[in-house]
Amino acid sequence: MQIASTSLKQAEKHWADYEALRAIRVRARLRLSRSNGSYDIYHNALAELIQLLGSGKINEFFDQPTQGYQDGFEKPYTAYMQQNDHLYDIAVEDNNRLLQPGDVGVG
């Protein structure tokens, strides 16, 4: 009975860990979609700059708030990359914790 109870508690913990990672992945996807949208805005602004410069519209070229578009892209992209790095670190830690020397296939 004790073994079954312990196993069930371990399963509950593993399930909670899985659910937490799933929630992190959902947040990461939201961050990525935000950075994709802001990338499109930034990319279109850069394309417009090329057109403005090419057609000699120098005042309009300097009036465009390109830096703001770049900043708008950079913030969600950086948050996404930091979250991605964090998930990678968690996976490496879990792997190192679970695979110990002497396990099958581990040196």
Side-chain angles (χ1 to χ4, degrees):
M1 187 64 108
Q2 182 64 32
I3 293 172
S5 178
T6 301
S7 294
L8 184 58
K9 286 180 183 176
Q10 287 176 338
E12 289 169 357
K13 182 190 178 325
H14 292 305
W15 182 256
D17 291 345
Y18 168 76
E19 288 292 307
L21 284 176
R22 193 174 88 178
I24 290 171
R25 286 192 304 266
V26 167
R27 286 192 304 269
R29 277 196 295 272
L30 285 172
R31 285 191 181 109
L32 180 60
S33 68
R34 284 189 202 120
S35 60
N36 283 345
S38 56
Y39 170 80
D40 291 340
I41 292 168
Y42 177 50
H43 176 272
N44 292 339
L46 291 175
E48 183 181 22
L49 281 179
I50 292 168
Q51 290 175 346
L52 291 171
L53 193 58
S55 60
K57 297 179 179 179
I58 197 73
N59 289 334
E60 290 91 341
F61 175 86
F62 284 115
D63 286 341
Q64 192 203 65
T66 310
Q67 184 64 49
Y69 299 138
Q70 182 176 352
D71 294 344
F73 165 69
E74 183 180 16
K75 186 176 179 181
Y77 179 77
T78 299
Y80 168 76
M81 291 305 293
Q82 288 171 342
Q83 185 67 47
N84 192 44
D85 290 345
H86 177 68
L87 290 174
Y88 176 80
D89 292 342
I90 289 171
V92 169
E93 289 173 14
D94 285 349
N95 184 58
N96 290 338
R97 183 173 39 90
L98 294 173
L99 295 176
Q100 299 296 319
D103 289 347
V104 176
V106 177

